[in-house]
Amino acid sequence: MALSVDTTPAKHVTVLRNGDIKYEGRKFVVSRRRYRTFDSLLSDITHQISAPFGAVRRLYTPKGSRQIRAIDDLEGGGTYIAGGSERFKKLDYNPTQLPTKNWGFTPNVKPGFLADDPPPLVLPKKNKRYAQRSAQ
C-alpha cells in the first residue's frame, strides 16, 4: 500500500497589516502539510500579527489589485496585506522603504569622524563677541 506524500515545496511569505505602514511584517512558511485549508492560514495570521481590526478575513496583494482566495494563489517570497472586513487601504506597502531597526547604530558616521572633521561650534548671540575677541 503506497502512501501519498505531498512534495510541494513550502512558500515563504511576508504578511503586513492593512493600513499600517509602520508594521514591519511577519514571515510565514506556508505548506499544505501545515495549513490544510485557507481558513486555518487566516486563523494563524490573526493570532501572529495581533491585528487591531480583529480577525483576518482577507489577504490582498500589496497593490490591492486582487484578493487571495486559496493557498495555491500565494507565491513564494511574496508580500501580502492582511485585512479584516474593512476595505483595502491603498498605501505604499513597499517593504524596502519600511523603517528598519538599527539598534542605535548609524552607518553614515565613519570611525574617527569627530577627530577628523568636527562640526562647527554654535554659540548663543551674547557669546559671539567673546568668541570674536578670543579668536584675534
Side-chain angles (χ1 to χ4, degrees), residues 50-68:
S50 303
F53 46 78
V56 174
R57 293 190 174 97
R58 297 179 182 147
L59 280 181
Y60 301 99
T61 57
K63 294 181 181 178
S65 57
R66 74 184 174 105
Q67 183 177 343
I68 306 300

Side-chain angles (χ1 to χ4, degrees), residues 46-48 50 72 98-99 108 120 131:
T46 299
H47 295 296
Q48 295 292 327
S50 303
D72 295 333
L98 293 175
N108 296 337

Side-chain angles (χ1 to χ4, degrees), residues 34-90:
R34 180 164 172 88
Y35 303 108
R36 297 198 185 267
T37 64
F38 189 63
D39 289 334
S40 65
L41 172 63
L42 294 180
S43 176
D44 195 29
I45 292 172
T46 299
H47 295 296
Q48 295 292 327
I49 68 169
S50 303
F53 46 78
V56 174
R57 293 190 174 97
R58 297 179 182 147
L59 280 181
Y60 301 99
T61 57
K63 294 181 181 178
S65 57
R66 74 184 174 105
Q67 183 177 343
I68 306 300
R69 298 184 187 275
I71 292 177
D72 295 333
D73 295 343
L74 296 172
E75 295 178 9
T79 302
Y80 298 95
I81 312 301
S85 57
E86 77 277 1
R87 297 182 123 205
F88 177 77
K89 297 175 183 168
K90 292 186 180 182

Side-chain angles (χ1 to χ4, degrees), residues 12 25 29 53 90 124 134:
H12 298 268
V29 178
F53 46 78
K90 292 186 180 182
S134 63

Side-chain angles (χ1 to χ4, degrees), residues 108-119:
N108 296 337
V109 178
K110 299 179 233 169
F113 171 75
L114 296 176
D116 296 341
D117 189 21

